Amino acid sequence: MAETATVDDRLANERALVRFVAGALRALGVEAPDAAVVADVLVAADLRGIASHGVARLVSHDVRRLRDGLMAAQPTVTVVRETPTSIVLDAGNGLGPPAAKRAMDRVIEKARDAGTAFGAVRNSNHFGIAGFYAMLALEHDMIGIASTNAMRSAAPTFGREILLGTNPLAFAIPAQHEPPFVLDFATTTERGGALAPLGGFGIEGGGHKGYGLGVLVDILCGVLSGGAFGAQLPGPNDAPQSGKISHFFGAIRLDGFRDAARFKADMDTELRTFKESRKSAGHDRVYVAGEIEYEKALFNRTHGVPVNAKVWAGLEELAGELGIPFDLA
Amino acid sequence: MAETATVDDRLANERALVRFVAGALRALGVEAPDAAVVADVLVAADLRGIASHGVARLVSHDVRRLRDGLMAAQPTVTVVRETPTSIVLDAGNGLGPPAAKRAMDRVIEKARDAGTAFGAVRNSNHFGIAGFYAMLALEHDMIGIASTNAMRSAAPTFGREILLGTNPLAFAIPAQHEPPFVLDFATTTERGGALAPLGGFGIEGGGHKGYGLGVLVDILCGVLSGGAFGAQLPGPNDAPQSGKISHFFGAIRLDGFRDAARFKADMDTELRTFKESRKSAGHDRVYVAGEIEYEKALFNRTHGVPVNAKVWAGLEELAGELGIPFDLA
């Protein structure tokens, strides 16, 4: 099964971890509802085995930026434009998750009425895992879409200037008995220690496609929201910058196309077709997108959420600094 | 510039080529408006330098299937479901392009009223280049989306069963002075003569992401339309099959998010940022998605559309069989 903890990990209780993260953010001046959203998003990443986007970010990103005044603890979030099928928010340089969740919640409400809707958020910050927001659509029998641009870390095909972020795209699609299809991926990939577009450097492996997907994300997030995009985003050698990140969200009702129950039954067939297909040498499973993360979340919810020992120590140190209780068990 | 003809190519006049393709299809029983759409779509591929999806398909795919009774020359196309933001068509096993264009046209009309809309088509056949349909949205100041599933030709990550088609995705986004951003790509890539998911075999290069994108396309097209999907699609060793292909389309109004003119001006900045960035060794240009195809189309429209000499001979032979004039000059 999905044992995900390593020897460097300690195990936290999910609820205790959420409570601690939210409490730390409140102690730093974040309003309680916003702090709760951030805690949910960060711990969801750890539950799903994506520690890079989990509570490790609390100290390395959120706390540092709040203390340095680079991010607003109590931002003024404004609606920039709104129609029955679209919404654009300005996050006021606040934490990414509260503005992102507010946008996706509104997109889902609009899609419930109109059949489909999209939203964008500008002047925001790191929002955690894109899949969290896409998955909010699942219980509404909708397809969920979420994306974000990010600080620049990779060069375009045939280029040597660092212009592209990891720019993830996430799609969540419900099934009946099978776990949902949740495709949540960076449009970059690591090659020899450096980040390349998905498909690699050059065009031989299709790197121009990954590069194109990265630009697509930057357009949907940065250009469409009226936020920062392209070279306006911070690069790898720049000091941390305020509110340069933008997000994009979408929701599509299944029953605009088919009866939702029949669609979801066919999704089971589709997903099982891949899962039950013949394996290549040395492999005993073929996974579908989101399956590994789903199993990890089930396992970690029961057995404890793995937190890297250094991250754990950082949280404990933070608790001391803020004068709040530290009990993650 | 974008010289695209090779020594094996002959050059056709664009209008003459369109006229010939449409005439050949009419002689095979296809109604004039449908024949005109197919001709436009096939020649658009040749113009853009994508000969694999161009008039080469007329003989190898369309004529063969019409003659063998595998595809209906005069299909009954029906609306399966329709809402203000969605439409599902059954193509009645006709040629792909007419049903696909009808769906995308309706999606654009709906998006004009509602802000955004989506459509799917089932029981269809090969529809040419996905980018053709996505680009229909451009003149309406919308983002266009088009996709199709396809006969099975690649295995999923860790699997050895051929289950995934080339399953292309296309996104078209307008700019002001710059050519539009047109990302139109197969979610597979060639590796050592075989097709692998974008990112390659295994997970080291991110092949699971390309595999996930391929399944996403199959869901959006096949499952969402109520058509064939997964193992129901024809495989590489199967005889040609009727109407198993499904398509997916979308359109999103720019002004749901921002003033369209300001968006397009920022698109110019975004695209130029990449185009004008520093080049890697051995390269003198960094392209953006759709730029090469745009330049090829401009060039070929003036200098003649390259048609492979064998394809040219096949068209001439077809003209003789059908008793229609053959003059492509």
Side-chain angles (χ1 to χ4, degrees), chain B residues 4-5 9-15 17 43 45-48 55 299-301 303-308 312:
Chain B
T4 71
D9 288 339
R10 298 186 60 171
L11 295 177
N13 172 277
E14 181 193 354
R15 289 182 169 280
L17 190 58
V43 174
D46 287 308
L47 273 171
R48 293 173 70 77
V55 297
F299 184 92
N300 292 336
R301 189 156 277 151
H303 295 80
V305 186
V307 176
N308 175 279
W312 185 287

Side-chain angles (χ1 to χ4, degrees), chain B residues 95-328:
Chain B
L95 285 147
K101 181 164 187 299
R102 178 171 157 187
M104 187 63 187
D105 285 343
R106 289 290 290 142
V107 163
I108 289 170
E109 280 174 38
K110 288 174 183 293
R112 195 181 299 130
D113 294 336
T116 175
F118 289 89
V121 178
R122 71 187 190 201
N123 199 17
S124 183
N125 289 285
H126 185 76
F127 80 173
I129 49 171
F132 179 91
Y133 309 98
M135 290 171 72
L136 294 174
L138 292 171
E139 65 178 301
H140 303 282
D141 281 352
M142 296 177 188
I143 294 170
I145 301 167
S147 186
T148 186
N149 60 10
M151 60 171 283
R152 293 178 284 121
S153 52
T157 306
F158 300 161
R160 61 190 182 91
E161 208 167 314
I162 299 297
L163 285 173
L164 279 174
T166 54
N167 293 9
L169 266 173
F171 299 88
I173 307 180
Q176 185 178 11
H177 300 296
E178 290 291 319
F181 176 87
V182 181
L183 177 66
D184 179 3
F185 68 104
T187 53
T188 51
T189 185
E190 212 164 292
R191 287 292 169 96
L195 274 187
L198 173 59
F201 298 110
I203 59 171
E204 294 72 21
H208 53 298
K209 301 177 181 183
Y211 158 43
L213 280 170
V215 177
L216 173 71
V217 166
D218 196 38
I219 294 168
L220 294 177
C221 297
V223 184
L224 202 58
S225 71
F229 59 85
Q232 300 159 4
L233 288 158
N237 302 318
D238 296 335
Q241 293 176 26
S242 296
K244 291 285 181 71
I245 304 303
S246 301
H247 322 304
F248 178 75
F249 305 99
I252 305 174
R253 276 174 67 148
L254 298 175
D255 62 5
F257 298 83
R258 297 179 69 188
D259 173 70
R262 292 180 66 182
F263 172 87
K264 291 191 287 185
D266 276 352
M267 277 297 292
D268 283 355
T269 304
E270 172 79 334
L271 298 177
R272 287 172 185 159
T273 297
F274 290 95
K275 291 166 72 167
E276 294 167 3
S277 68
R278 294 193 304 279
K279 317 301 183 273
S280 61
H283 293 283
D284 58 6
R285 290 183 65 175
V286 169
Y287 298 93
V288 291
E291 186 183 5
I292 293 175
E293 295 80 4
Y294 178 87
E295 290 186 359
K296 284 183 177 175
L298 279 186
F299 184 92
N300 292 336
R301 189 156 277 151
T302 307
H303 295 80
V305 186
V307 176
N308 175 279
K310 281 187 189 165
V311 173
W312 185 287
L315 297 178
E316 191 161 11
E317 192 182 325
L318 178 67
E321 292 166 8
L322 298 174
I324 61 172
F326 184 74
D327 179 10
L328 305 187

Side-chain angles (χ1 to χ4, degrees), chain A residues 174-180 261 264-265 267-269 271-272 275 294:
Chain A
Q176 185 179 11
H177 301 296
E178 290 292 318
K264 291 191 286 185
M267 277 297 292
D268 283 356
T269 304
L271 298 177
R272 286 171 185 159
K275 290 165 72 166
Y294 179 87

Side-chain angles (χ1 to χ4, degrees), chain A residues 32 216 246:
Chain A
L216 173 72
S246 301

